[in-house]
Amino acid sequence: MIEWQDEAIVLGYKSFGENKRIIFLLTNQYGRVNGLMREPKSSKLQGLAQMGNRVIATWKGRLEEHLGYLSLEVVESFTGRLMGSAAKLLALSSASLLTHSVFPERHPYPAVYEAFLLFLESLKGEKWPETYIHFEHKVLDEMGFGLKLDACCVSGETENLFYVSPKTGRAVSEKAASPYEERLLRLPAFLLDESLQAKDFEDLKNGFILMDHFFKHQMTASSYKKFTEARGQLLRALIKLEKGRNDFIKGTLLSLEEVKRGEVTEYTVEV
Amino acid sequence: MIAKEIDRLMKLLAQLPGLGPRSGKRAALHLIKRKTTHLEPLIEALQTALKTVQPCTLCGNLDTQPVCILCSNPKRDPSLLCIIEDVEDLWAMERSGSFRGRYLVLGGVLSALDGVGPQDLNMGLLMQCLERGGVEEVIIALSATLEGQTTAHYVSDALRTFPVKVTRLAHGLPMGGDLDYLDGGTILAALEARQPLI
């Protein structure tokens, strides 16, 4: 019998049969791990496998490749804190889906685990959208398609880096970008310096567009579709937060193309 | 060894919730041995259900009439509308005997992981219900899970254009709950929803 224990973040679960669940975890040392767990009967334990919970997970299985059984002990639960904020709930949902979709099972990604923890902590405060984009950046990096943002790929400059090449993922300075600005992706300053906050919503939007461009090319079509739908809802919630809109927004999904074209800034949607 | 008709019956029964291959086999044998007392009434009940049970056109509840018994009951308060995830939740609410308004079955909750989007919910039925008028308060009674609350926010956003009061069920201490066993999130939710005693 193989058994190990590790700290983990719950990414979600699916019901399996009548009284079992398959739990999806991101562990610190073992990476993404799935495991079976009996459906908790006690109301005290119902919330064990809530998305975003920090847990101590114990995995048991006869062979390493088996699904195995999991038992969880909650260290910190975030869902209760986020109940009042649609945007935060959607951000957590989007981050969990991304992690679940792009990484293979049983490969350690301690940097992603660390970034996810930072993102969860940030949800307690106000600077969480920037941390969410940093998290996406880290995921891209760990997928093997990280952006190279330390110097301009044309001139080698380390100052005034305002753009990213959509082909190479390398930074481009303001001077070298001219006259190709239209073809380049905007690089928000907070991605270069983690201590910075987004200047305005435009800055945040540029961060989302930048990451989306690379995810679109590196994720499988089906994973990207699900992810972009979840992220679209997050973006919509952020836009609403920003604009303080009260308009009813129809349940169609917001595409990043709409954001890029600026169509979402003034839209009113009929029922 | 086993006749294919019996085998088929066992396999079909084994697919029912709460049953597996062994219990499916037991149930099949039980029915076959008691044809007149159990099997025939069961067949009759299944056929009746197949022919008559349908979702209510107003709320999504299951009934034998196009408009269910709850929606057609004049004693129920039409100004109160309770949004629930599934028919099971409706039955749970009715079991409590404390709600005298009407219901709307949403048919699921938003879930990024399961690929359930807004287009999969009964939002059209909800909009029709509100456009008919008469609703003063909408109570969102969805699970206190991440998916449930995401859906609650989505639904409350969708209701902004209607002149209705939107409320949701309280979160916090369960009845008989021991504070010591509760997680921080639940305690926080309970603290935020605290009520004056005096």
Side-chain angles (χ1 to χ4, degrees):
Chain A
M1 199 73 164
I2 303 164
E3 182 177 340
W4 53 254
Q5 195 174 67
D6 195 7
E7 54 181 281
I9 298 164
V10 179
L11 300 177
Y13 68 84
K14 277 190 178 188
S15 291
F16 181 76
E18 274 297 288
N19 55 3
K20 289 195 184 77
R21 288 174 176 176
I22 298 176
I23 313 286
F24 310 128
L25 297 177
L26 175 68
T27 61
N28 187 16
Q29 296 172 50
Y30 298 87
R32 209 167 64 70
V33 172
N34 300 340
L36 267 181
M37 201 176 92
R38 286 197 182 280
E39 194 113 21
K41 284 185 181 134
S42 153
S43 61
K44 290 170 190 168
L45 301 172
Q46 286 280 337
L48 263 181
Q50 280 300 297
M51 192 184 285
N53 274 4
R54 266 185 73 195
V55 295
I56 298 292
T58 308
W59 184 92
K60 280 180 195 171
R62 199 169 60 79
L63 295 172
E64 216 169 87
E65 56 268 29
H66 280 184
L67 182 60
Y69 274 88
L70 276 171
S71 59
L72 307 178
E73 192 183 324
V74 177
V75 176
E76 191 171 7
S77 168
F78 285 87
T79 321
R81 291 177 195 279
L82 313 180
M83 292 289 188
S85 166
K88 286 181 181 180
L89 286 169
L90 289 165
L92 176 55
S93 193
S94 180
S96 301
L97 178 67
L98 177 66
T99 313
H100 182 72
S101 310
V102 299
F103 295 118
E105 275 185 68
R106 320 273 173 111
H107 280 262
Y109 292 98
V112 175
Y113 182 79
E114 197 64 34
F116 207 133
L117 275 187
L118 273 175
F119 164 63
L120 285 175
E121 281 299 317
S122 76
L123 289 172
K124 293 175 183 170
E126 293 304 313
K127 213 189 127 191
W128 63 269
E130 289 90 338
T131 318
Y132 173 81
I133 295 171
H134 282 300
F135 169 74
E136 285 195 348
H137 187 194
K138 181 57 75 182
V139 169
L140 206 55
D141 202 26
E142 290 291 311
M143 281 168 75
F145 305 102
L147 309 180
K148 206 167 173 354
L149 305 176
D150 51 349
C152 173
C153 62
V154 182
S155 62
E157 266 182 277
T158 54
E159 300 288 314
N160 297 324
L161 302 172
F162 289 163
Y163 298 92
V164 173
S165 160
K167 283 189 180 170
T168 62
R170 295 181 68 185
V172 183
S173 70
E174 190 181 20
K175 202 172 152 189
S178 178
Y180 307 106
E181 293 100 330
E182 288 298 306
R183 292 192 213 166
L184 300 172
L185 297 158
R186 293 285 302 188
L187 172 62
F190 70 83
L191 265 176
L192 295 169
D193 182 353
E194 292 195 12
S195 64
L196 290 180
Q197 264 188 291
K199 283 202 299 280
D200 47 25
F201 186 70
E202 196 63 21
D203 221 18
L204 267 183
K205 202 176 84 180
N206 287 332
F208 275 102
I209 292 170
L210 175 63
M211 293 303 149
D212 180 71
H213 173 83
F214 294 98
F215 280 126
K216 192 175 185 176
H217 289 91
Q218 309 307 341
M219 284 171 86
T220 60
S222 61
S223 296
Y224 176 75
K225 187 174 178 287
K226 270 171 105 175
F227 173 58
T228 197
E229 282 173 5
R231 207 166 174 265
Q233 290 184 43
L234 164 62
L235 263 171
R236 190 183 340 201
L238 279 172
I239 290 168
K240 285 192 73 184
L241 266 185
E242 170 67 16
K243 304 280 181 194
R245 289 186 176 281
N246 289 334
D247 298 343
F248 167 53
I249 295 171
K250 198 183 168 188
T252 48
L253 300 162
L254 177 74
S255 75
L256 271 161
E257 290 305 315
E258 285 175 295
V259 178
K260 282 179 199 169
R261 290 198 300 266
E263 285 174 9
V264 288
T265 52
E266 283 308 325
Y267 72 124
T268 316
V269 188
E270 67 286 354
V271 181
Chain B
M1 194 178 89
I2 301 171
K4 63 180 181 190
E5 289 77 10
I6 303 173
D7 191 51
R8 182 163 174 254
L9 178 63
M10 289 193 308
K11 281 180 179 159
L12 285 171
L13 286 169
Q15 286 169 17
L16 295 177
L19 300 187
R22 278 172 183 273
S23 42
K25 190 163 80 180
R26 270 209 308 278
L29 281 174
H30 180 88
L31 289 169
I32 291 162
K33 283 177 186 169
R34 294 164 184 81
K35 280 185 182 173
T36 48
T37 54
H38 286 72
L39 186 58
E40 281 173 7
L42 181 68
I43 291 168
E44 198 188 317
L46 287 172
Q47 278 177 340
T48 314
L50 178 69
K51 281 180 195 158
T52 58
V53 176
Q54 56 188 311
C56 170
T57 51
L58 299 181
C59 72
N61 184 19
L62 293 175
D63 207 315
T64 51
Q65 304 299 321
V67 175
C68 75
I69 193 163
L70 296 174
C71 289
S72 55
N73 184 352
K75 287 184 181 168
R76 296 197 78 104
D77 185 356
S79 67
L80 282 177
L81 181 71
C82 181
I83 298 178
I84 34 114
E85 183 185 335
D86 218 332
V87 178
E88 283 171 10
D89 299 334
L90 188 151
W91 292 342
M93 290 286 286
E94 280 301 289
R95 217 167 40 232
S96 75
S98 50
F99 181 69
R100 300 300 302 157
R102 292 198 173 146
Y103 294 97
L104 191 122
V105 180
L106 210 52
V109 285
L110 298 176
S111 168
L113 209 61
D114 297 330
V116 181
Q119 67 280 1
D120 302 310
L121 306 180
N122 263 341
M123 291 301 285
L125 213 57
L126 174 61
M127 295 302 145
Q128 282 169 22
C129 185
L130 289 163
E131 277 159 9
R132 277 196 298 274
V135 178
E136 288 169 18
E137 181 176 351
V138 176
I139 304 163
I140 302 177
L142 298 174
S143 319
T145 58
L146 189 129
E147 291 86 356
Q149 292 312 299
T150 308
T151 314
H153 283 290
Y154 176 78
V155 172
S156 64
D157 268 352
L159 300 179
R160 277 181 198 274
T161 49
F162 295 95
V164 290
K165 182 178 167 188
V166 182
T167 55
R168 68 169 184 196
L169 294 189
H171 300 145
L173 298 181
M175 290 302 287
D178 198 336
L179 210 63
D180 189 31
Y181 282 97
L182 292 177
D183 63 277
T186 309
I187 292 175
L188 186 87
L191 263 175
E192 283 178 354
R194 69 187 181 275
Q195 290 181 353
L197 262 180
I198 306 168

